[in-house]
Amino acid sequence: QAVEASVHLVMVWKANGEIVAYRNGEAYGKPTRKSEMMTYAAGTGRLTFGLRHLPGGGNRYLKGKLLDAAFSS
């Protein structure tokens, strides 16, 4: 589908640690819970788009193009 048209993907991290994904406005997969929400001291957090996790390398990068990105807290 993403080859033919843009895909709108949203990830939501809830305060209780639950992570929910939405693809084109529909729930995508099952919600998961890794742990309680982590907090970071000011200036020490990092927000990265297109990389699954640090450090970069291997197959951790997004294979595609970001047309728009946003973060809200």
Side-chain angles (χ1 to χ4, degrees), residues 9-67:
L9 183 64
V10 175
M11 301 293 294
V12 178
W13 283 261
K14 297 182 178 183
N16 67 359
E18 185 177 58
I19 304 169
V20 182
Y22 298 90
R23 181 179 170 135
N24 293 331
E26 302 284 330
Y28 186 68
K30 295 180 181 180
T32 186
R33 181 179 307 214
K34 296 295 182 184
S35 64
E36 294 300 314
M37 182 73 74
M38 295 180 68
T39 58
Y40 298 90
T44 64
R46 183 178 295 184
L47 178 65
T48 307
F49 291 98
L51 179 62
R52 191 171 21 190
H53 56 80
L54 295 171
N59 67 349
R60 296 178 183 156
Y61 296 104
L62 171 71
K63 191 173 186 180
K65 183 192 302 185
L66 291 174
L67 301 178

